[in-house]
Amino acid sequence: MKKDLLTFKDWNAEDLAGLIGLAESIKTTPAKYADVLKGKSIAAIFEKPSLRTRVSFDVGINKLGGHMVYLDVQSGKLAGREDAKDTAANLACWTDGIVARVFSHQTLVEFSEAADIPVINALCDLYHPCQAIADFLTLKETFGSLDNLTLAYVGDGNNVTHSLMIMGAILGVNVVSVTPEGYEVDQSIFSLCTTLAKASGAKITQSSDISAAKGANVLYADTWLSMGDETPLEKIKAIFDPYKVDEAMMKLTGATHVMHCQPAHRDLEISGTLIDSEASLLMQQAENRMHGQNAILTHLFESNS
Ligand code: CP
Ligand code: NVA
């Protein structure tokens, strides 16, 4: 049966740790993986803008010996012309895999059902698994291991928070989500994560109180308004201002490092000086996007072949 990578929810700790190990191997010995996608073409559909995901997939697929076809549906050239499942079934006639950034997770489910080739989630409304694999690789590189780590996510409970929480719960990394009231993570995903954490021993918690992040090794920020959310910044700014990740919050919590999936808005959700500081892991995360994704591609194409 063909495999996809939509969420990581159904992975176990051993396989997930193995995938991070594969990403480390690809990063250090890329020549060994130069033919993984030899002769293969991957379609990349983006319903939303992207810098990191688009470029890291394009360059990464090239490094694995494959070829990426970029489909921009933001301009409306493809969107609405036909049903998502027909788009996917057609793509499967010529290409060997689909990378998709979509508004609704349901579109990925439809792609997966219609196409007999691997489908990879490049961000949807609920998840960003390609970001999470890069981030946990970054944590492992920074701290030497994932044991006894606590990551505090501070800001809007969103797709990135969900994927960090799922991966932490499976791998045994404590994740605390600190969000303003009314901006919490999806409670069914939170509940799933607390269940997943029973096997790993991770502590998965949520709070609206910044002091819940005390003792965390890392603070993690993301935009207060995700792509597609048309809420004017002025409407939410006062609510989110106390949740800005800055030097004062680093001091209060004792965190040694700061992470952000980017794009970052300097001096809104994170202080610009913190991005530029020694504590910042942002560019290491960005670099690791490609290695994490190439591990996913290698895993999917090895197990699908
Ligand atoms: N972090 C991330 O997914 O960045 P892009 O939106 O630029 O792809
Ligand atoms: N939560 C953000 C992540 C961007 C990479 C968004 O969905 O826009």
Side-chain angles (χ1 to χ4, degrees), residues 52 260 262 266 275 280-288:
R52 281 145 290 274
H260 191 309
Q262 302 187 78
R266 286 173 179 260
I275 292 178
S280 170
L281 297 176
L282 275 68
M283 292 309 149
Q284 194 176 334
Q285 291 174 265
E287 185 194 338
N288 283 339

Side-chain angles (χ1 to χ4, degrees), residues 123 128 158-160 222-223 226-227 261-263:
L123 180 147
H128 197 0
N158 63 22
N159 44 9
V160 169
D222 185 13
T223 182
S226 284
M227 288 181 278
C261 55
Q262 302 187 78

Side-chain angles (χ1 to χ4, degrees), residues 263-290:
H265 306 91
R266 286 173 179 260
D267 301 323
L268 274 176
E269 73 268 8
I270 184 168
S271 63
T273 44
L274 195 53
I275 292 178
D276 299 328
S277 75
E278 292 281 304
S280 170
L281 297 176
L282 275 68
M283 292 309 149
Q284 194 176 334
Q285 291 174 265
E287 185 194 338
N288 283 339
R289 290 297 306 276
M290 185 176 77

Side-chain angles (χ1 to χ4, degrees), residues 41-277:
S41 297
I42 309 292
I45 294 202
F46 281 72
E47 287 187 330
K48 302 179 187 182
S50 171
L51 173 73
R52 281 145 290 274
T53 310
R54 178 181 172 176
V55 176
S56 58
F57 263 113
D58 198 336
V59 174
I61 286 167
N62 192 267
K63 286 187 191 295
L64 295 179
H67 165 243
M68 188 179 103
V69 182
Y70 176 70
L71 290 122
D72 172 10
V73 299
Q74 291 168 65
S75 56
K77 283 197 287 278
L78 286 176
R81 283 191 69 215
E82 58 196 343
D83 289 353
K85 64 180 189 177
D86 293 323
T87 302
N90 274 264
L91 289 173
C93 294
W94 318 293
T95 69
D96 303 282
I98 299 174
V99 168
R101 169 166 286 193
V102 296
F103 282 100
S104 165
H105 186 71
Q106 183 56 28
T107 305
L108 293 168
V109 173
E110 286 175 27
F111 275 14
S112 169
E113 284 167 2
D116 57 355
I117 53 176
V119 177
I120 298 175
N121 182 356
L123 180 147
C124 65
D125 52 342
L126 293 177
Y127 310 102
H128 197 0
C130 293
Q131 183 67 50
I133 185 79
D135 294 339
F136 278 77
L137 169 59
T138 304
L139 286 172
K140 189 171 175 217
E141 287 174 337
T142 304
F143 293 95
S145 104
L146 294 175
D147 296 343
N148 303 313
L149 284 184
T150 298
L151 180 152
Y153 175 92
V154 185
D156 177 41
N158 63 22
N159 44 9
V160 169
T161 333
H162 295 154
S163 286
L164 292 171
M165 213 174 236
I166 290 167
M167 203 166 273
I170 296 171
L171 286 169
V173 173
N174 305 322
V175 178
V176 50
S177 171
V178 185
T179 62
E181 274 174 33
Y183 296 88
E184 292 87 359
V185 291
D186 180 297
Q187 291 303 293
S188 65
I189 295 176
F190 179 76
S191 161
L192 169 81
C193 290
T194 55
T195 304
L196 290 172
K198 284 184 187 142
S200 69
K203 283 194 215 103
I204 305 296
T205 51
Q206 58 182 344
S207 175
S208 59
D209 184 350
I210 302 291
S211 64
K214 278 186 185 168
N217 303 89
V218 178
L219 300 186
Y220 195 116
D222 185 13
T223 182
W224 294 335
L225 290 168
S226 284
M227 288 181 278
D229 186 341
E230 301 298 330
T231 308
L233 176 63
E234 287 319 312
K235 243 182 131 172
I236 54 123
K237 196 168 173 300
I239 299 169
F240 278 91
D241 265 337
Y243 295 83
K244 173 179 171 182
V245 176
D246 59 10
E247 284 81 349
M249 197 186 286
M250 295 292 280
K251 201 166 169 206
L252 173 86
T253 59
T256 54
H257 292 82
V258 66
M259 299 175 83
H260 191 309
C261 55
Q262 302 187 78
H265 306 91
R266 286 173 179 260
D267 301 323
L268 274 176
E269 73 268 8
I270 184 168
S271 63
T273 44
L274 195 53
I275 292 178
D276 299 328
S277 75

